[in-house]
Amino acid sequence: MDFSAIVSDALRSGIGPIAAVYALAAMGLNLHFGYTGLLNFGQVGFMLVGGYGLAITVSTYGGPMWLGVLGGIACAIVLALLLGLPTLRLRADYLAITTIAAGETLRLFYRSSWAEPVTGGVFGLQRFANDFYALSPIEPGTYGVWLVRFSSRDLWVMIVGWVLVAVVGGLLALLIHSPWGRVIRSIREDEVAARSLGKNVYAYKMQSLALGGVIGAVAGMMQAIQVQSVNPDNYDPGVTFFLYTLLVLGGAGRILGPVVGSVLFWFVLSFLDSALRQAIDAGHISPDLISTSEVGAVRFALVGVALILLVAFRPQGILGSRKEMLLSGR
């Protein structure tokens, strides 16, 4: 087995563009769940409207890319209002049901034949991020150190993605330690007490939902830019559950929790994928036990087992607080 190739694949995934995209989306979810106590099971819906807002503006209507970014952000705010207005005055489970239903409804709507002239239907939209790559100062080629190497295009997306993670993380840290942040944390701990102190809990929840949704939409744009494509089937409900996995792994209610969770998640997932494939090729694992076509499912099963053990022995994750994971405190 070539362990240098296994480690190389794992390191590339752990710090690559997809890890940055998921870290960014999980930061928005962290604002919802980790800091405000909102059960949002449809963060992928915000990623979808962000990615499609950019793609439709540029590819379908021929608009500039900056207008597509504004369009994606506007779509995320509208979606947050549509989800939050009828549900945020109710129990938390109503928001959970509404968000997971909305995410799946949007996916089906965008892939429908009725919407195909605008969204591309099941084929999606492609090649709408040329202006983004035209801004790259990196000459074509391959760059990296030691075992880790990236193409110039991936390196450019990765730099922009991690810079966005740093900027959003800094802004969230300032917000969470401001009076606004103390209010939303008090809502998470005891909503009735916050209301008794004269705080408009409904308005604060709505602001948190909209802000976290916009962050998710920006992550969706970066995901679309990275592959120069949007397809509705890339936004299935499993994406949101991956994001919760990152939060549980890194620690909810911590600024760096989603970042650490995303890096570890993609590192471990890629490590298992490469190690299992090489073990099968080398004959260390019988193809009768696991075939190469089953590796994708097996690696998720192993990550699931690891997650169960983590929840059992360290439910607060790597950086989180055990107290903040107690549902009885919400």
Side-chain angles (χ1 to χ4, degrees):
M1 293 176 62
D2 186 355
F3 286 99
S4 63
I6 296 173
V7 174
S8 172
D9 290 343
L11 286 174
R12 275 203 305 272
S13 293
I15 63 173
I18 292 299
V21 167
Y22 273 70
L24 199 58
M27 291 174 93
L29 187 62
N30 194 29
L31 181 61
H32 293 161
F33 175 72
Y35 288 111
T36 319
L38 299 175
L39 284 175
N40 171 18
F41 286 127
Q43 183 71 348
V44 69
F46 290 106
M47 296 175 70
L48 185 151
V49 297
Y52 266 99
L54 171 64
I56 289 173
T57 303
V58 177
S59 183
T60 304
Y61 295 112
M65 198 164 176
W66 63 266
L67 186 60
V69 172
L70 294 180
I73 291 173
C75 289
I77 294 173
V78 171
L79 179 60
L81 292 174
L82 292 175
L83 293 174
L85 285 174
T87 60
L88 290 181
R89 293 186 190 278
L90 307 175
R91 293 200 316 260
D93 46 355
Y94 283 88
L95 177 65
I97 295 168
T98 304
T99 49
I100 194 171
E104 188 62 0
T105 302
L106 283 170
R107 185 182 72 83
L108 295 174
F109 172 76
Y110 275 68
R111 79 190 305 278
S112 67
S113 57
W114 185 83
E116 185 172 346
V118 177
T119 66
V122 296
F123 305 105
L125 300 170
Q126 293 83 32
R127 305 195 65 79
F128 44 80
N130 292 331
D131 290 348
F132 173 85
Y133 289 104
L135 295 174
S136 174
I138 304 172
E139 294 295 326
T142 303
Y143 300 86
V145 294
W146 192 42
L147 300 173
V148 185
R149 303 195 72 80
F150 293 95
S151 68
S152 55
R153 289 170 67 88
D154 282 347
L155 186 61
W156 175 233
V157 178
M158 188 176 73
I159 291 172
V160 174
W162 285 114
V163 166
L164 282 173
V165 169
V167 171
V168 170
L171 292 175
L172 285 180
L174 292 174
L175 273 176
I176 293 305
H177 292 92
S178 71
W180 184 85
R182 287 191 284 274
V183 172
I184 65 166
R185 280 185 291 173
S186 71
I187 293 172
R188 177 195 62 191
E189 297 298 332
D190 192 335
E191 182 176 328
V192 176
R195 190 176 290 112
S196 69
L197 292 173
K199 303 300 180 184
N200 188 335
V201 171
Y202 180 68
Y204 279 97
K205 283 183 174 180
M206 183 62 74
Q207 292 163 16
S208 174
L209 184 64
L211 181 56
V214 168
I215 296 172
V218 173
M221 293 179 208
M222 288 306 302
Q223 184 183 29
I225 287 171
Q226 197 261 332
V227 292
Q228 280 263 48
S229 171
V230 285
N231 187 295
D233 292 335
N234 293 334
Y235 301 96
D236 62 62
V239 174
T240 299
F241 293 99
F242 283 171
L243 298 177
Y244 270 105
T245 301
L246 307 185
L247 276 188
V248 172
L249 182 60
R254 292 290 183 270
I255 294 296
L256 291 178
V259 180
V260 173
S262 181
V263 171
L264 283 178
F265 177 80
W266 287 107
F267 179 90
V268 172
L269 203 62
S270 181
F271 184 92
L272 290 173
D273 188 279
S274 296
L276 286 171
R277 291 183 190 281
Q278 290 211 22
I280 294 171
D281 292 340
H284 298 307
I285 297 178
S286 170
D288 295 332
L289 182 63
I290 303 174
S291 65
T292 52
S293 62
E294 296 170 330
V295 167
V298 171
R299 63 175 183 162
F300 282 119
L302 293 175
V303 170
V305 171
L307 190 63
I308 291 171
L309 294 175
L310 181 70
V311 170
F313 295 104
R314 192 174 172 80
Q316 69 272 33
I318 295 172
L319 300 178
S321 164
R322 185 182 180 88
K323 179 182 176 183
E324 293 180 0
M325 290 299 295
L326 295 175
L327 291 176
S328 58
R330 298 182 176 178

